[in-house]
Amino acid sequence: MSEAVLSVENLSLRYRVPGGTVAALRNVSLAVRQGEVLGIAGESGCGKSTLAAAMIDLMGANAEVTSGEVRLNGRDILALSPAERRRLRGREIAMVFQDPMTAFSPVLTVGAQLVDFQFNLDGVPGREKWVRARDMLARVGLSDPELAMGRFPHELSGGMRQRAAIAAALLMRPAVLIADEPTTALDVTMEAQIVHLLRELQADYRCAIVIVTHHLGVIAELCDRVAVMYAGVVVEEAPVDALYHDPRHPYTRALLACDPARIEAATGRLPAIGGRLPDLSNLPPGCAFAARCGIATDRCRATPPPCVALGPGRSALCHEVTP
Ligand SMILES: Nc1ncnc2c1ncn2[C@@H]1O[C@H](COP(=O)(O)OP(=O)(O)O)[C@@H](O)[C@H]1O
Ligand SMILES: [Mg+2]
């Protein structure tokens, strides 16, 4: 198997908040190889965006890494100087956010910004950057790319804006594209189109993609492997087919049971996993999922669960799972 392009090793991160800290990531280890699409799933508040931000070194000012490394092509990016980190961003790793307006300034045209995004391409004349930008807009499916170049971001529809944001990320030809809920703000049709586009682009550019989503349908469509997060830890990691056909962690099972795509339309109501996420400022001593888990024992409530290897690329963090 090829080397990991991006890997996270034993990463723990907390946020400082008034009166304490929030344990947003605890000993997270994950890797993504060239050409691979890794999905990160889990309910809201599980630490997915924190992990994505840590991967591209865009954590908030109150975030504190307490252990671990983020390795991009072998280098620990958290140990680099701020200038070195900025150089990597865009050139080797790029990010697409849920709200495409985050990627753009409202006061400049899309075209001017797509040209600026290529600041890392030393020696490429401005005219050529403009052509690259226009061609990339065509590639991501804007029907009149020349016209779109002259528009302001708010003059594009939500779906078109997200396509333009993806174009912006790809213009740097990054080795890794991180996408945090890139389809969550879109309607179902638009979501399907963006997923289709990402799949095509991945085939064309062979970049690694890390996609964060609470939508399991998106994961099934797009990903090779999935990491399921709960309360700041990866509770299960598996190839995508294995995860869907034979989920092992009780949390993964509960998530799949709530997936709207798997539920009879006739029930007309979305089930949710009973109970709530634990307080990340005051975690229980044992398994963080124990309070909501149907098979939890006293041991689960008292002792942190072990990581159980379940075969190639498969593991689950659970006392009750057996290999
Ligand atoms: N800047 C921040 N300051 C304090 N707490 C934060 C901050 N960002 C996220 N959190 C908290 O960290 C936890 C993980 O959040 P997040 O990574 O956004 O999860 P997800 O993307 O899975 O919804 C949540 O409890 C959230 O409230
Ligand atoms: Mg998030």
Side-chain angles (χ1 to χ4, degrees), residues 37-270:
V37 185
L38 172 69
I40 298 177
E43 286 163 289
S44 181
C46 283
K48 305 182 300 297
S49 292
T50 301
L51 178 59
M55 284 173 163
I56 190 166
D57 187 30
L58 282 177
M59 294 89 80
N62 63 334
E64 184 185 359
V65 173
T66 53
S67 77
E69 294 180 350
V70 178
R71 296 193 157 269
L72 181 61
N73 288 317
R75 268 168 312 172
D76 180 8
I77 60 170
L78 302 180
L80 297 176
S81 72
E84 287 170 316
R85 296 180 193 192
R86 267 196 305 277
R87 266 174 57 81
L88 288 183
R89 221 176 287 143
R91 196 190 293 261
E92 291 185 31
I93 188 161
M95 184 132 181
V96 174
F97 296 91
Q98 175 177 337
D99 175 4
M101 282 309 273
T102 334
F104 295 108
S105 154
V107 299
L108 293 171
T109 62
V110 169
Q113 297 186 63
L114 291 181
V115 168
D116 284 350
F117 279 127
Q118 302 174 65
F119 65 92
N120 272 346
L121 300 187
D122 310 319
V124 177
R127 173 69 204 166
E128 199 175 318
K129 288 180 180 175
W130 192 93
V131 172
R132 286 186 85 232
R134 182 203 57 197
D135 291 352
M136 190 61 87
L137 284 183
R139 177 64 195 85
V140 299
L142 269 71
S143 55
D144 193 340
E146 302 244 349
L147 188 71
M149 289 287 281
R151 287 274 156 91
F152 289 93
H154 67 263
E155 294 178 310
L156 301 180
S157 71
M160 289 302 137
R161 240 181 348 241
Q162 193 56 293
R163 286 169 190 269
I166 292 169
L170 287 173
L171 274 171
M172 300 309 305
R173 297 227 163 197
V176 188
L177 181 70
I178 312 260
D180 187 1
E181 307 266 9
T183 63
T184 301
L186 305 174
D187 66 42
V188 180
T189 313
M190 209 77 89
E191 171 167 66
Q193 288 174 6
I194 295 286
V195 167
H196 180 70
L197 171 68
L198 285 171
R199 209 163 45 189
E200 280 181 2
L201 293 172
Q202 199 272 333
D204 284 5
Y205 295 101
R206 300 298 295 159
C207 57
I209 297 182
V210 177
I211 180 161
V212 169
T213 175
H214 65 268
H215 189 163
L216 292 164
V218 170
I219 297 232
E221 282 286 308
L222 201 59
C223 298
D224 302 307
R225 270 189 317 121
V226 194
V228 179
M229 291 190 72
Y230 186 77
V233 294
V234 173
V235 292
E236 180 160 7
E237 190 183 343
V240 71
D241 290 342
L243 190 98
Y244 281 86
H245 293 123
D246 182 24
R248 301 296 300 277
H249 195 284
Y251 178 63
T252 312
R253 293 185 174 184
L255 259 191
L256 286 170
C258 293
D259 183 5
R262 292 183 160 216
I263 294 157
E264 288 288 319
T267 63
R269 173 169 80 84
L270 294 181

Side-chain angles (χ1 to χ4, degrees), residues 259-304:
D259 183 5
R262 292 183 160 216
I263 294 157
E264 288 288 319
T267 63
R269 173 169 80 84
L270 294 181
I273 305 176
R276 299 166 47 188
L277 276 172
D279 177 1
L280 299 180
S281 311
N282 184 20
L283 284 163
C287 172
F289 187 58
R292 301 169 78 184
C293 180
I295 60 168
T297 64
D298 287 343
R299 179 175 61 167
C300 301
R301 285 178 278 272
T303 318

